[in-house]
Amino acid sequence: AGMRVAVVGAGVSGLTATKCCLDEGLKPTCFEQSRDIGGLWRYTEHVEAGRPSLYPSVISNTSKEMSAFSDFPYPEDFPVFLPNAQLLDYLRRYAERFCLREHIRFGTTVVSIQKRPDFATTGQWDVVTEADGKQTSHVFDAVMVCSGNFSEPSLPLRCFPGIEKFQGQYFHSRQYKHPDVFQGKRVLVVGMGNSGVDIAVEASRVATKVTVCTGRGAWVFSCVFDHGYPWDMVFNTRLMSLIRNSLPGPLLWGLINYRVNQWFKHENYGLQPEQRYSLPVLNNELPSYILTGRITIKPGMKEFKDNSVVFHNCPEEEPIDIIVFCTGYNVSFPFLEEAVVNVENKHASLYKYVFPTHLQRPTLAVLGLIKSLGAIMPVTEMQARWVTRVFKGRRANVSSPMYQNTVQTGHILSSPRPKTDFTLKTDCLVYVDKLASFIGAKPSLLGLLCRDPRLVLSIFFGPCTPYQYRLGGPGRWEGARQAILTQWHRTLKPTRTRVPAGSSSPCPSLLTVMGFLLLLAAVVIGF
């Protein structure tokens, strides 16, 4: 009989985990507490307990080619950046294509996951689920936790002096659905992540005034990058990653500083980040809304009054009616024993941010605890491909001394930082390459150079699309090469809807690459 695997959640991570289990001949049972797939990407008008919540205007900030599962490209007529309904449609097509629904138990909540008494020898888990008020016990050989980290809002009111005096309305961004609530109001948005900026921009269309307060600032990228190409298809290439990871710190900082300020000078807009290396915010409209006075950026807040707020280094009070706290989420696994994955327990480390290192057997994996400058789908898919092969004992890599002694290797996620900062922030290309090398799926550029130089040029200079990890090794997909060579066609098909006679090639040329290298040389000389 095949190894029985419990998968918790049927969102992006849970679907690809279920599919990877099937690919490896395992027997997955996916437990989904709601009545449908999609997780974060399934919009509901009302906030549901224990489920992620999004507002109807949410659009993916990573392009479709970079956000695809590695053996299932998006339809060519889908827009480059996807409204949430179309991304959900893609997930439905994926589930249908690989027959995943028959392995999902809907309306079933995972209540607890505990090691069995003989765990040290069997690695098995007792899993208790609840459906229609009735609890059921199961025994599984392995568990994949794919419940995400956007369900439990982080709202540390104790960090906001005077909030108890405030007489207006306040809520966490998780509660936000429509901008009508801001009509004619003076709005304060606390925090400057992607949600905070999105909500500020939406609110500014109907509010009297919108203020965003941020202690840290942030780099702001536009989704429309050089020459109008999607930002991540220009930024996340193997060439760019090589440059980013080879330059000394001060030189890299100078290059980043120069590059991000080409669109607009962040300092002049009150946005210059305090920390040199921080994940950017993606928004096309923020700078113009600041220019037109619709949005004002302020430093961190000092205290709240009855109907106003005082900011650091600003003596005057700012009148406000509504506060939106865009303060992120806690990482929470209420169904797991604290000793298995405990955010604040520095001994409960995660090897490669996936496997709890203190377990005697690597039969529990946590997927998707990652924040990278790029799409989450290819990352969680590669985690799932690796994990399922570990479960089967192939190229496991976690029985090695490196796994047992992660403290020395630096591959731990274990500091006593606040919960909201628990998720890994990393260069996703380097990370996915490492996992791919574990299973033999990392593309060999040298090996391909003689056989297929055209493909190598696309792989190295072009966007690092997920199809690269299906060219060879386990899970090889015959369509991977063609998917890479046609990625720009699928990207530009929905936008090149009027093509004048004598138009140039739609794909970025090597001149773009040469231009970047000249820019790099200029920055180096400047130092």
Side-chain angles (χ1 to χ4, degrees), residues 261-281:
N261 282 309
Q262 277 188 302
W263 183 26
F264 68 94
K265 191 172 175 62
H266 284 62
E267 204 172 322
N268 293 346
Y269 288 69
L271 294 169
Q272 183 85 6
E274 295 282 327
Q275 297 174 330
R276 285 188 169 190
Y277 309 108
S278 58
L279 287 178
V281 169

Side-chain angles (χ1 to χ4, degrees), residues 335-392:
F335 46 83
L336 281 177
E337 297 172 285
E338 272 205 3
V340 176
V341 180
N342 178 5
V343 176
E344 293 180 346
N345 177 2
K346 66 180 179 180
H347 299 295
S349 315
L350 296 176
Y351 177 65
K352 296 299 178 193
Y353 312 96
V354 172
F355 285 104
T357 56
H358 58 286
L359 295 177
Q360 300 104 309
R361 306 280 297 222
T363 56
L364 182 138
V366 183
L367 272 61
L369 273 193
I370 190 166
K371 277 185 186 173
S372 61
L373 188 49
I376 189 67
M377 288 81 156
V379 178
T380 56
E381 182 190 33
M382 186 56 72
Q383 288 178 331
R385 289 175 68 186
W386 173 49
V387 164
T388 50
R389 291 181 70 76
V390 168
F391 287 168
K392 284 195 73 171

Side-chain angles (χ1 to χ4, degrees), residues 23 25 39 49 55 81-82 84 87 120 127 146 160 228 240 249 266 268 316 354 360 404 439 458 472 476 489 497 515:
D23 288 347
Y55 35 99
F81 292 97
L82 295 140
N84 59 80
L87 207 150
V127 178
C146 306
F160 301 102
M240 293 289 252
H266 284 62
N268 293 346
E316 69 276 7
V354 172
Q360 300 104 309
Q404 302 298 339
I439 65 169
S458 292
R476 182 175 179 271
H489 169 77
T497 49

Side-chain angles (χ1 to χ4, degrees), residues 24 33 92 109 143 147 203 348 352 364 372 383 397 464 488:
E24 290 295 334
Q33 66 177 6
R92 292 195 201 286
T109 302
V143 175
S147 52
K352 296 299 178 193
L364 182 138
S372 61
Q383 288 178 331
N397 285 303
C464 188
W488 282 110

Side-chain angles (χ1 to χ4, degrees), residues 183-430:
Q183 186 75 47
K185 305 286 189 181
R186 296 164 298 187
V187 181
L188 173 67
V189 176
V190 179
M192 237 200 96
N194 286 305
S195 295
V197 173
D198 279 356
I199 292 170
V201 166
E202 284 199 7
S204 69
R205 295 176 187 137
V206 296
T208 302
K209 184 175 184 182
V210 174
T211 304
V212 176
C213 83
T214 170
R216 297 179 183 176
W219 298 123
V220 180
F221 277 15
S222 170
C223 290
V224 184
F225 224 58
D226 296 348
H227 307 288
Y229 294 116
W231 75 271
D232 50 354
M233 294 183 78
V234 176
F235 190 85
N236 283 335
T237 69
R238 291 190 175 276
L239 171 65
M240 293 289 252
S241 179
L242 181 66
I243 291 169
R244 283 195 299 271
N245 290 289
S246 302
L247 290 178
L251 192 57
L252 178 62
W253 165 244
L255 180 62
I256 292 171
N257 195 47
Y258 180 87
R259 189 68 188 78
V260 296
N261 282 309
Q262 277 188 302
W263 183 26
F264 68 94
K265 191 172 175 62
H266 284 62
E267 204 172 322
N268 293 346
Y269 288 69
L271 294 169
Q272 183 85 6
E274 295 282 327
Q275 297 174 330
R276 285 188 169 190
Y277 309 108
S278 58
L279 287 178
V281 169
L282 286 142
N283 193 278
N284 301 329
E285 298 159 299
L286 181 63
S288 61
Y289 277 51
I290 294 172
L291 270 183
T292 53
R294 292 186 182 186
I295 295 176
T296 305
I297 307 295
K298 291 282 190 178
M301 56 77 53
K302 187 177 180 182
E303 65 173 322
F304 289 108
K305 301 291 183 72
D306 290 357
N307 297 292
S308 62
V309 62
V310 179
F311 300 105
H312 286 294
N313 306 319
C314 299
E316 69 276 7
E317 295 180 17
E318 178 97 24
I320 47 169
D321 304 305
I322 297 183
I323 307 167
V324 187
F325 287 102
C326 301
T327 45
Y329 292 84
N330 294 325
V331 177
S332 172
F333 305 109
F335 46 83
L336 281 177
E337 297 172 285
E338 272 205 3
V340 176
V341 180
N342 178 5
V343 176
E344 293 180 346
N345 177 2
K346 66 180 179 180
H347 299 295
S349 315
L350 296 176
Y351 177 65
K352 296 299 178 193
Y353 312 96
V354 172
F355 285 104
T357 56
H358 58 286
L359 295 177
Q360 300 104 309
R361 306 280 297 222
T363 56
L364 182 138
V366 183
L367 272 61
L369 273 193
I370 190 166
K371 277 185 186 173
S372 61
L373 188 49
I376 189 67
M377 288 81 156
V379 178
T380 56
E381 182 190 33
M382 186 56 72
Q383 288 178 331
R385 289 175 68 186
W386 173 49
V387 164
T388 50
R389 291 181 70 76
V390 168
F391 287 168
K392 284 195 73 171
R394 298 180 184 175
R395 303 280 295 277
N397 285 303
V398 293
S399 57
S400 66
M402 193 164 69
Y403 170 69
Q404 302 298 339
N405 196 13
T406 52
V407 176
Q408 290 184 3
T409 68
H411 297 303
I412 60 170
L413 179 57
S414 61
S415 73
R417 291 173 291 178
K419 288 190 178 184
T420 49
D421 212 20
F422 180 59
T423 44
L424 162 71
K425 296 177 181 175
T426 187
D427 184 324
C428 59
L429 201 161
V430 173

